[in-house]
Every structure is written in structure tokens, then in C-alpha cells.
Amino acid sequence: MKVSLFITCLADVFYPNVGKDVVEVLERQGCEVDFPASQTCCGQPAYNSGYHKETKEVAKSMIRSFEHSQYVVAPSGSCAAMLHEYPHLFKDDTAIWLKRAEELAAKTYEFTQFLVDVLGVEDVGATCPASATYHTSCHMTRLLGVKEAPMKLLKNVSGLNYTELPGKETCCGFGGTFSVKMKPISEQMVDEKIAHIEETNSEVLIGADCGCLMNIGGRLERLGKPVQVKHIAEILNQQKV
């Protein structure tokens, strides 16, 4: 099975090891992974800010980049969801771009979604001897509809002592440009999230979106909280000896 990695901006610039972990996990499952070098930002910041005309140009570039891919996998439910938004973006361009956008959306998956729903894998042979909780990101659950896949995978991680996060359905306050435009509100939201994390007495916070993890991790660091923040790909790539 051939998979193209859609690395996303945050993973590419700030969390390159997450991309490496995704590739290694997929390769152990027998996937052949490539990296289309022409890929760019998916256009979500511009799209959510109302710049739909400009977003179309970015979207066209992304469609071209992954046009010949069998599957497209991203370590971010939010960015994968944006590629699923492309058909709506091109709903009035039925001559050329709508069909191409639909084809890209149909083969684009978030990392855990691809492992569970496409490959049919729930145990990747991972180990993590630690207490942990999991943050469910908004776009991944509400837009992409991925809720159970991460839990199925974490359930099979050897040594992981998992505690469900209270108020797991609430936003962490990142929201892309929201955290910049509405800083005081965003700060209160992330503080509430951290209070819930502390209730679990977990050593590790796991998530599947680098934006959320950057926001929560940054606040934890500023507050001097000793909680490690890990992308789920990092956990799944810790193999049993």
C-alpha cells in the first residue's frame, strides 16, 4: 500500500520527529511512504479568516501535489479535515476543480484513522510505561469525525496507565488564529484544560494535533507543570523490546 505523507506546517517546522514517527509506524505495517516535496500549507489559516479566494490557489497546489497518491495521511485531524473541506471550497467550480478536490478528500486520512479504519490495525506493538491522559482535538472529532481510533490504539499500548480526561470535549483554546486574536479568552480556556489534566495525575498528555499540543505544552511550561506532552505517533513508535 502506497501512502503519501502530508506533514503539515507545525509538524514540519516545530515537530519533525512526529513526521519521522508516523513514517516508521506506517512502514512497520507494510506501507510504502513517500513525501511529495511540492506540498505546502493546506490553507486553513487563510480559509478560517475568510480569505477563500486566496485559499483556492493554495488548495489547487495541494491537489496537484497529491494527485497521484494512493492514500494521503496526516499527523493532524485539523489539517486532514481542511483537505476534506476542499470540495465545499470548489462547489461552484464543477468543470475542473470540484472533482479533483473530491478525489483528494476521499483518500485523505488522519494518522490513527488510517491505521484503524484502513489498515485494520489496533495494536502496533508499542510500549509506554507511564500514566497518561488523552486530549481530543475539536476539528479531528467534530469535523473529521475521528473519535474511537486513538482510543483503540492507546488501549493496546503495553504499560500505559490511561485515565480519561475530564471535560475532554472542551476546546484547549488554540483554534489557530483564535489564540492570537482572542488571547485572554484562549488563556482561560487552556488553563481550564490544564486543571483537568492535573486531575488525572498523569505524567504524559497525549494528543493527535500539534497545534493543540503546542498550545497546551507551552502553557504547561510557563506554569512550571511537570507534564510531558507527546503526539500519539511518538507513543505508538515506542516499540516493545
Side-chain angles (χ1 to χ4, degrees):
M1 188 173 289
K2 296 184 178 181
V3 175
S4 294
L5 175 65
F6 166 31
I7 187 62
T8 77
C9 297
L10 292 183
D12 184 36
V13 177
F14 296 106
Y15 303 102
N17 282 342
V18 169
K20 178 181 72 71
D21 290 323
V22 168
V23 171
E24 290 179 357
V25 171
L26 290 176
E27 287 182 340
R28 275 197 298 273
Q29 300 306 316
C31 296
E32 181 184 328
V33 185
D34 65 30
F35 181 81
S38 59
Q39 64 182 280
T40 62
C41 174
C42 63
Q44 184 176 163
Y47 183 73
N48 290 345
S49 298
Y51 295 98
H52 292 189
K53 180 181 177 181
E54 291 80 359
T55 305
K56 283 185 177 181
E57 296 309 309
V58 177
K60 288 176 182 178
S61 176
M62 286 291 283
I63 290 169
R64 293 188 194 100
S65 294
F66 293 102
E67 196 138 36
H68 302 294
S69 301
Q70 183 181 5
Y71 290 99
V72 179
V73 174
S76 164
S78 180
C79 296
M82 182 59 203
L83 268 58
H84 282 250
E85 192 68 19
Y86 284 1
H88 177 73
L89 186 65
F90 290 108
K91 66 182 186 299
D92 297 324
D93 193 344
T94 56
I96 300 174
W97 289 104
L98 177 59
K99 184 176 183 296
R100 294 170 77 178
E102 289 172 341
E103 289 172 351
L104 176 57
K107 62 186 179 184
T108 297
Y109 295 86
E110 181 273 331
F111 173 57
T112 64
Q113 178 191 28
F114 183 76
L115 285 172
V116 174
D117 296 346
V118 179
L119 297 183
V121 174
E122 295 183 10
D123 187 347
V124 298
T127 182
C128 181
S131 59
T133 191
Y134 177 81
H135 166 67
T136 56
S137 56
C138 297
H139 285 180
M140 182 164 160
T141 55
R142 294 168 189 161
L143 298 183
L144 204 58
V146 179
K147 300 177 182 179
E148 300 301 325
M151 295 298 100
K152 290 178 178 178
L153 291 159
L154 291 176
K155 182 179 69 175
N156 290 299
V157 175
S158 176
L160 189 71
N161 181 15
Y162 176 76
T163 302
E164 185 171 289
L165 185 64
K168 64 179 183 179
E169 71 284 350
T170 60
C171 178
C172 71
F174 180 61
T177 56
F178 173 82
S179 61
V180 177
K181 295 178 179 178
M182 305 290 184
K183 181 182 175 182
I185 300 174
S186 173
E187 185 175 295
Q188 291 180 50
M189 292 171 73
V190 74
D191 282 348
E192 180 182 54
K193 181 65 66 175
I194 288 172
H196 289 320
I197 293 168
E198 291 188 301
E199 286 179 40
T200 69
N201 293 312
S202 295
E203 300 167 280
V204 183
L205 170 70
I206 304 169
D209 261 296
C210 291
C212 300
L213 296 179
M214 175 182 285
N215 186 49
I216 300 170
R219 189 59 174 164
L220 283 167
E221 185 177 349
R222 287 182 179 89
L223 295 175
K225 305 293 184 180
V227 180
Q228 297 181 60
V229 177
K230 298 283 187 181
H231 190 280
I232 193 168
E234 296 177 278
I235 302 297
L236 297 180
N237 199 31
Q238 295 178 200
Q239 292 297 290
K240 301 173 186 176
V241 179

